[in-house]
């Protein structure tokens, strides 16, 4: 990260970086409502501690990098980032109580809005984290993903969102469906998060292109034509740039709809026989697909961002929660803008433990300028 390099070399002070970040939040958040709490004095104190650690020649790979954390309990899992030198500036918005499918988040000033179109949802449940990154308030925000809660808002706000392999990082979710994740604008920033939380490097990816299988619907979903077309075009750009090689699998992807299994496991009650059957069949199908190729590609969401009245009976999780059930790591990349002016995403799914491959592909896509250039300039 450029910020960390500048702070480590003492070109910038962490205190000054934090002060400018707080100014941006103060200016923009009354409109965006990305934050529940902003920790101004505490953030400046933490930044001063980072500057002191730098002066003491302590090695801090993320020195002075301002971050936002998901929800008021987000600091509980941010220890590795703080140890690496990050400065937490606030807690981002999540859905309010009693609104299980209203995933746009409720910030301190009201409902959280999509920075591309305030009349549309940013998605959720990591709503404020996606908005804070998309609007340039922070370069990195933490999230958690139980059914697509990192990938969906990342796609709808035009940023990257990574969900880790189920069970690989600590999680408070006793069902095993949720995994930690991150939202960033760049692959290098997502890679910096991964190094901090896992200790694993991703720099040495083998040869490109990476073989990948495309599926518009995973065999059960009914996505709208436009998000499918945008994601398919993004996959084609990656193939044209030599990042991916699209291959035909021995059998087309035909997963069972994970909705009943996900819901039963989430409830943790009743007879789970059918849930385990669906999970086992989908695991078998995914294992076969990821034998033919290293990656599975899909649209991230089946629809464009909906309005603040809610999605009706079309859940945005249709193409994401299969991989919470299976535990596979997944990354969403910006795929372009729809006719409504809102972003869409391309989802990449790897084998268990394949986070470094996902990050390497994202980084190579950036290097080859193969990603949709949809940087939000609204703030």
């Amino acid at each position: 990260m450029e910020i960390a390099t500048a702070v480590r070399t003492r070109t910038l002070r962490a205190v000054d970086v934090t002060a400018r970040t707080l100014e941006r939040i103060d200016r923009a958040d009354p409109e965006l409502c990305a934050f529940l709490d902003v920790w101004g004095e505490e953030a400046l104190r933490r930044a001063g501690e980072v500057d002191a650690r730098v002066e003491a020649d302590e090695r801090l790979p993320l020195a002075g990098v301002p971050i936002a954390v998901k929800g008021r309990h987000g600091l509980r899992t941010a220890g590795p980032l703080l140890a690496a030198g990050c400065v937490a500036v606030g807690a981002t918005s999540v859905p309010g109580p009693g609104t299980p499918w209203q995933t746009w988040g409720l910030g301190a000033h009201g409902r959280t809005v999509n920075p591309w179109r305030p009349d549309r949802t940013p998605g959720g449940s990591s709503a404020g984290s996606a908005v804070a990154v998309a609007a340039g308030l922070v370069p990195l925000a933490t999230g958690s993903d139980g059914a697509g809660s990192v990938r969906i808002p990342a796609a709808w706000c035009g940023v990257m969102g990574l969900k880790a392999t189920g069970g690989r990082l600590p999680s408070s979710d006793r069902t095993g469906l949720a995994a930690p994740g991150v939202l960033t604008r760049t692959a290098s920033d997502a890679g910096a998060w991964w190094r901090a939380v896992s200790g694993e490097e991703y720099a040495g990816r083998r040869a490109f292109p990476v073989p990948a299988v495309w599926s518009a619907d995973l065999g059960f979903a009914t996505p709208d034509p436009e998000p499918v077309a945008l994601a398919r075009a993004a996959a084609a750009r990656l193939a044209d740039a030599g990042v991916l090689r699209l291959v035909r699998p021995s059998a087309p992807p035909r997963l069972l709809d994970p909705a009943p299994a996900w819901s039963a496991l989430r409830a943790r009650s009743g007879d789970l026989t059918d849930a385990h059957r669906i999970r086992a069949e989908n695991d078998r199908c995914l294992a076969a697909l990821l034998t033919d190729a290293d990656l599975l590609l899909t649209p991230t969401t089946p629809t464009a961002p909906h309005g603040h009245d809610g999605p009706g009976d079309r859940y945005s999780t249709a193409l994401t929660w299969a991989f919470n059930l299976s535990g596979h790591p997944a990354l969403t990349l910006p795929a372009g803008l729809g006719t409504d002016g809102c972003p869409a995403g391309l989802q990449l799914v790897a084998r268990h433990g394949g986070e470094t491959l996902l990050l390497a592909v994202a980084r190579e896509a950036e290097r080859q300028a193969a990603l949709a250039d949809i940087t939000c300039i609204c703030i």
Side-chain angles (χ1 to χ4, degrees), residues 64-301:
V65 174
I67 64 168
V69 298
K70 179 182 178 179
R72 291 195 167 103
H73 303 299
L75 275 179
R76 293 178 181 176
T77 57
L81 297 174
L82 301 182
C86 287
V87 177
V89 297
T92 58
S93 64
V94 293
T99 58
W101 294 109
Q102 296 177 10
T103 57
W104 45 83
L106 297 172
H109 305 286
R111 69 186 182 193
T112 309
V113 303
N114 191 307
W116 292 86
R117 275 190 59 167
D119 64 330
R120 301 295 176 91
T121 173
S125 61
S126 304
S129 289
V131 173
V133 171
L137 304 185
V138 291
L140 183 157
T142 65
S144 58
D145 190 314
S149 294
V150 164
R151 290 161 287 161
I152 293 164
W156 282 352
C157 292
V159 298
M160 293 187 186
L162 172 66
K163 176 194 86 73
T165 300
R168 191 167 185 191
L169 298 175
S171 171
S172 60
D173 179 26
R174 291 180 293 173
T175 68
L177 295 169
V182 70
L183 300 99
T184 66
R185 286 195 182 203
T186 69
S188 62
D189 288 354
W193 172 83
W194 181 246
R195 283 192 297 271
V197 300
S198 74
E200 185 177 17
E201 293 287 341
Y202 76 103
R205 164 64 199 172
R206 294 68 63 190
F208 291 94
V210 175
V213 170
W214 162 261
S215 175
D217 58 10
L218 294 175
F220 64 85
T222 56
D224 291 344
E226 188 170 60
V228 171
L230 288 167
R232 186 64 179 82
R237 286 195 300 273
L238 295 178
D240 290 343
V243 180
L244 300 179
R245 175 170 55 87
L246 297 176
V247 300
R248 187 181 299 275
S250 55
R254 296 213 175 276
L255 274 65
L256 300 175
D257 187 346
W262 187 96
S263 298
L265 292 168
R266 190 70 172 174
R268 302 175 72 205
S269 62
D271 186 356
L272 298 179
T273 301
D274 197 49
H276 293 314
R277 178 188 63 81
I278 292 172
R279 172 178 263 173
E281 176 58 23
N282 284 356
D283 286 351
R284 184 201 62 76
C285 180
L286 289 168
L289 284 171
L290 293 172
T291 298
D292 292 333
D294 289 340
L295 295 174
L296 169 62
L297 312 179
T298 78
T300 306
T301 64

Side-chain angles (χ1 to χ4, degrees), residues 23 41 64 68 71 105 121 148 156 163 179 273 304 314 363 378:
E23 288 170 3
E41 291 184 6
T121 173
W156 282 352
K163 176 194 86 73
T273 301
R314 300 280 312 277
R363 188 182 62 171
C378 54

